[in-house]
Amino acid sequence: MPGRAPIAVALDAPDLETAARWAGLVTPHVSALKIGLELYLRYGPSVVASVRGASGAEIFLDLKLHDIPATVAGAARAVARLRPALLTVHAAAGAAAIRAAAEAIPAARIVAVTVLTSLSEADLARMGISGQVGDAVRRLAGLAVEAGARGLVCSPQEVTAVRAEVGDDIMLVTPGVRPAGTDVHDQARVATPEEALRSGADLLVIGRPITGAADPGAAAAAIAASLRRAEAVAARS
Ligand code: C5P
């Protein structure tokens, strides 16, 4: 959305009222609102209308679908009426499932999750996926894009390699973003918003640095302003 920073605020709220309040405060400054499994499963599809309000912010429905193609297609059709701009599907569900989702909800951008950042190389080895995590990420990214995903979730550290794999037309979405000097919480590998954008990310998922602030609206506005400054500097150089 023009004028709004490329940020999806993760509305990981304890209740619906809080999520709707945060949404109202941050929407003037950011392009998208991310609704995750916890909020969606607790309150159901009506959570989308509650956080969307009259704001016009795009909805990022982070349901991380992972099932057989027919079920993924059915799930995607079921949420189509909520008009999400973005919907996540696990790349590990396979090419047919990604394709089924893309066909079932053509108005949304299917964003594929490659390897969860909570998984280490040792975890992957136990699942029978050998080699480096980065290799698995690149393979899954390529597979998902070939099957019709138009976005990928990856860590800020993976953006450059994933971009090289999938080209410029794919939206790269990165969590693990922390303004300099703020609490990293449970995120292990973080980048500042400016670094994430500079490395080629298109949409930054930011939760607690905004929602945990005393004034979430002011926190979102400050990060949005820092991104505009970084873009202006990049355009001049
Ligand atoms: O509060 P914070 O900025 O860490 O929120 C990040 C959001 O991104 C949360 O909703 C979290 O579930 C999500 N996420 C993540 N790391 C991933 C994928 C998603 O932190 N690899």
Side-chain angles (χ1 to χ4, degrees):
M1 181 146 311
R4 294 181 184 174
I7 295 171
V9 177
L11 299 175
D12 297 321
D15 56 67
L16 192 51
E17 293 67 35
T18 307
R21 186 169 54 81
W22 288 345
L25 292 170
V26 304
T27 293
H29 313 291
V30 303
S31 59
L33 303 169
K34 185 172 91 71
I35 296 171
L37 274 174
E38 192 177 341
L39 207 55
Y40 190 85
L41 293 179
R42 188 171 295 141
Y43 296 103
S46 65
V47 68
V48 172
S50 299
V51 309
R52 180 184 271 135
S55 68
E58 294 190 329
I59 297 294
F60 178 175
L61 207 45
D62 187 16
L63 300 183
K64 295 192 174 67
L65 303 177
H66 191 169
D67 213 311
I68 61 170
T71 303
V72 168
R77 269 195 301 277
V79 298
R81 68 191 168 84
L82 305 173
R83 294 180 288 110
L86 308 165
L87 173 67
T88 49
V89 178
H90 273 286
I98 301 270
R99 196 169 294 115
E103 286 169 2
I105 185 165
R109 185 186 290 265
I110 297 298
V111 177
V113 178
T114 54
V115 176
L116 292 172
T117 48
S118 52
L119 296 175
S120 66
E121 211 161 287
D123 292 319
L124 292 187
R126 290 192 71 192
M127 296 174 187
I129 302 168
S130 57
Q132 301 201 332
V133 176
D135 294 335
V137 168
R138 281 201 304 279
R139 274 199 309 274
L140 286 164
L143 168 162
V145 167
E146 255 179 61
R150 291 188 295 135
L152 293 162
V153 180
C154 55
S155 85
Q157 283 78 8
E158 290 159 354
V159 167
T160 307
V162 172
R163 179 66 75 204
E165 181 75 26
V166 300
D168 288 338
D169 295 339
I170 301 300
M171 175 188 273
L172 299 187
V173 180
T174 56
V177 176
R178 289 291 179 272
T182 62
D183 190 345
V184 300
H185 303 102
D186 51 0
Q187 298 284 10
R189 291 175 295 147
V190 300
T192 66
E194 296 86 345
E195 286 165 351
L197 268 202
R198 214 178 307 129
S199 66
D202 300 296
L203 182 66
L204 314 181
V205 173
I206 307 180
R208 289 161 291 181
I210 291 175
T211 58
D215 181 344
I223 297 175
S226 77
L227 290 180
R228 277 195 295 275
R229 279 196 299 276
E231 273 171 0
V233 169
R236 279 203 301 276
S237 63

